[in-house]
Amino acid sequence: MAFEKFDESGAGRGRPAGTEPMISLRKSASIGINRAALEEFFAENEGAVMYYDEDKNRIGIEPVADKDADEAAYTVSITDAGGTIAPKAFLERYGLVPEVTTQFDPEWDDDESLVVLDLDNPSGTYGTPDDETDE
């Protein structure tokens, strides 16, 4: 059998490029946004305000024009592959930094005007915990 060229190098981890929107909570205390989610939910917005619903264990992300649009806004750093939000203080405050990068299927909540991640319903994980123990 001959070599087959893999030509989806910008596909990210776990899903082919151009598929469904996905947002990941990373063990590095940042949030990854794939290209599909960036285009669907953020369009021209380069800022995000973070919310947490403890009762329903959900994160809400409000897309805003930029970091200056709200005093609580974080910058959405955009690359060819997608975007990143670095809300370390937010994730640590609510104990939301995962042991492994955890992926979610985001949904738009019309009532709240937020991108919502249901933390009780992850779609997958990537990587391993930093501190593995052999017990």
Side-chain angles (χ1 to χ4, degrees):
M1 174 181 242
F3 285 103
E4 177 182 338
K5 179 182 177 183
F6 179 75
D7 57 4
E8 297 176 22
S9 63
R13 299 172 176 154
R15 296 185 189 194
T19 62
E20 296 298 314
M22 178 181 63
I23 296 180
S24 301
L25 293 184
R26 298 175 177 153
K27 66 182 181 179
S28 62
S30 66
I31 296 174
I33 307 165
N34 76 351
R35 176 56 60 186
L38 199 61
E39 290 172 0
E40 182 172 337
F41 301 118
F42 291 87
E44 301 299 317
N45 294 306
E46 296 181 3
V49 179
M50 306 302 302
Y51 298 85
Y52 179 59
D53 179 342
E54 184 176 13
D55 293 336
K56 294 183 179 178
N57 199 28
R58 303 182 306 167
I59 289 177
I61 305 171
E62 177 186 8
V64 295
D66 55 36
K67 186 178 179 187
D68 297 327
D70 187 297
E71 64 183 28
Y74 290 91
T75 298
V76 178
S77 301
I78 299 172
T79 66
D80 290 340
T84 300
I85 306 168
K88 183 176 182 178
F90 166 79
L91 295 172
E92 288 178 347
R93 162 69 171 84
Y94 295 104
L96 301 175
V97 179
E99 289 186 20
V100 296
T101 296
T102 306
Q103 302 162 332
F104 298 90
D105 296 321
E107 295 183 6
W108 181 256
D109 184 321
D110 284 324
D111 295 332
E112 301 287 343
S113 295
L114 299 173
V115 178
V116 176
L117 307 179
D118 180 353
L119 300 178
D120 292 328
N121 193 22
S123 59
T125 59
Y126 181 82
T128 59
D130 289 331
D131 299 318
E132 291 188 38
T133 57
D134 295 324
E135 294 182 21

